[in-house]
């Protein structure tokens, strides 16, 4: 389930914590997403350029589907 932060929610909370995530595999990235949420992150930045093996059609779909927080993708 992908959660979206509405514009109104962004305005009500002036400060959001963004956790940049870097991992070797998509599996590790999924694990880090959940850890970031548990530690209080409001949003995550997924650094696709750090994945050792990157399969865009498979990995992006999975990361979007499994991320418990709003997400930025950087490549």
């Amino acid at each position: 389930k992908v959660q979206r932060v509405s514009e109104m929610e962004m305005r009500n909370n002036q400060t959001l914590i963004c956790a940049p995530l870097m991992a070797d595999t998509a599996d590790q990235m999924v694990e880090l997403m959940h850890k970031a949420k548990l530690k209080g992150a409001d949003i995550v930045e997924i650094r696709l350029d750090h994945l050792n093996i990157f399969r865009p059609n498979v990995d992006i779909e999975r990361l979007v589907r499994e991320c418990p927080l709003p997400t930025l993708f950087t490549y």
Side-chain angles (χ1 to χ4, degrees), residues 1-6 9-10 16-19 21 33 36-37 41-46 63-64 67-73:
K1 175 179 167 184
V2 177
Q3 293 180 329
R4 307 250 186 249
V5 176
S6 71
E9 289 173 311
M10 294 284 270
L16 297 174
I17 304 296
C18 180
L21 305 180
M33 290 187 285
K37 182 177 180 179
D42 299 300
I43 187 169
V44 293
E45 174 191 11
I46 295 180
L63 294 170
V64 167
C67 191
L69 295 168
T71 309
L72 298 170
F73 287 89

Side-chain angles (χ1 to χ4, degrees), residues 10-67:
M10 294 284 270
R11 286 187 194 152
N12 289 337
N13 183 0
Q14 296 297 317
T15 304
L16 297 174
I17 304 296
C18 180
L21 305 180
M22 294 167 271
D24 292 334
T25 67
D27 289 337
Q28 291 172 345
M29 196 71 77
V30 168
E31 186 178 321
L32 290 175
M33 290 187 285
H34 291 283
K35 285 182 180 180
K37 182 177 180 179
L38 288 174
K39 292 188 177 203
D42 299 300
I43 187 169
V44 293
E45 174 191 11
I46 295 180
R47 297 286 309 271
L48 298 171
D49 53 324
H50 279 264
L51 292 172
N52 286 336
I53 299 171
F54 179 47
R55 302 164 302 161
N57 295 337
V58 175
D59 293 336
I60 291 176
E61 181 180 329
R62 177 180 178 206
L63 294 170
V64 167
R65 184 179 61 245
E66 295 190 31
C67 191

